Amino acid sequence: MSVRVGFIGAGGIANAHMNMLQAIEDVQIVAVTDVDRDRAESTAAKYLAKPYADYREMISSEHMDALYICVPPFAHECQELTAIEKGIHLFVEKPVARSLETAGRIRDAIEKNKIISAVGYHWRYLTTTDRAMQILSGRTIGMVQGYWMGGMPCVSWWRNMNESGGQMVDQTTHIFDLARYLCGEIDEVFALYSRRDLDDRSDIYDVGTASLKFKSGAVGCISNTCMLSLPYTVGLDIIAKDLVLEIHGDLKVIEPGHTEVFTSGANSMLAENRAFIDAIRLGNTDNIRSTYSDAMKTLAVTLACNESAETGMPVGVKSL
């Protein structure tokens, strides 16, 4: 039988997931809702699904095995909780919420109702990430350096701190998550943000950097900017004794007298979608690399960065 899937949100990231689901056997997109009704209707028509103007009506009317929630950080309200009440499994795009309070309520409901969950941290599914994990096994990590250096997305909510959480929370979350995945948990952060070239339409920060203290004793720094009108660099560098790993999609392994580059041949977004769908079919979540509960820990780190930048003090990451 087909896995029946619905979507809340019909923007760019939602359509990317829909395209991936088309490549997985026996998956049917049955319903789509979006705050932009025209977009919901056009997207639904493309996938022979039913459009809805309201997610509550969609959840109550449709039989769905899974629901993809692809909305901005501030827009997470009761969508997840409404779906959980009907026993619908959840794929939630990152970041999972704008606050730990909202995320905590959803996490608790997921665990209480035994809902299968996955979150869109697709960097975890790169074959180069797998290789980096293998190379790092048994090594003592000393330092981590991360980057998200690019431009400003062309959506109005992204320019508002209350709606997006800023670049650390919404974009650079991928780099924080990869650092957690490969290097372990982060205990404390100290962040500095600044506004250098912004107009009155935005109250986010266009440059920022965060120093990190890992539970292992390793230290790190993750920086971002949205000042650029050109792509510059996005990735994570990990330093151990006589070893540097540069993970920027491809993986560069630098050792004394030897440098090797590995390309990522697999589609990481397809892999994360397949892991979620297979978990629903088989009842086995072993191949899901980012659950809702785990993704909430990444949110806690990036929110701690925001707090540190606001207070000017180091901030301990909340234990979840």
Side-chain angles (χ1 to χ4, degrees), residues 78-115:
C78 297
Q79 300 98 323
E80 291 92 342
L81 297 176
T82 304
I84 289 168
E85 288 177 359
K86 288 198 67 176
I88 300 171
H89 302 297
L90 294 175
F91 188 109
V92 183
E93 254 306 326
K94 48 53 54 189
V96 294
R98 181 62 188 85
S99 72
L100 290 179
E101 291 75 18
T102 297
R105 289 193 297 272
I106 296 167
R107 177 203 57 193
D108 293 347
I110 285 171
E111 294 176 354
K112 178 181 178 181
N113 292 276
K114 297 181 171 53
I115 297 297

Side-chain angles (χ1 to χ4, degrees), residues 5-66:
V5 178
F7 273 80
I8 298 178
I13 192 63
N15 275 272
H17 285 297
M18 292 179 199
N19 288 334
M20 294 301 102
L21 291 175
Q22 295 299 291
I24 302 174
E25 59 282 357
D26 295 326
V27 175
Q28 183 182 2
I29 299 170
V30 297
V32 178
T33 184
D34 192 275
V35 293
D36 183 333
R37 179 150 191 161
D38 290 342
R39 185 163 65 179
E41 290 178 351
S42 62
T43 301
K46 180 179 178 181
Y47 296 100
L48 304 179
K50 184 174 180 179
Y52 284 87
D54 186 271
Y55 74 84
R56 298 172 187 84
E57 182 186 359
M58 184 181 82
I59 292 173
S60 65
S61 301
E62 293 286 339
H63 165 64
M64 295 180 291
D65 302 297

Side-chain angles (χ1 to χ4, degrees), residues 243-302:
L243 173 71
V244 177
L245 301 184
E246 296 180 355
I247 308 165
H248 295 245
D250 292 344
L251 169 66
K252 180 184 284 189
V253 181
I254 305 170
E255 298 176 288
H258 175 74
T259 297
E260 192 168 4
V261 176
F262 299 92
T263 59
S264 183
N267 185 322
S268 59
M269 184 169 276
L270 177 59
E272 71 175 352
N273 280 279
R274 187 179 294 279
F276 177 58
I277 296 299
D278 285 349
I280 293 171
R281 285 201 180 107
L282 304 174
N284 184 339
T285 61
D286 289 350
N287 290 328
I288 293 177
R289 299 186 179 184
S290 179
T291 63
Y292 193 96
S293 177
D294 190 77
M296 190 176 165
K297 295 177 182 179
T298 297
L299 177 64
V301 176
T302 56

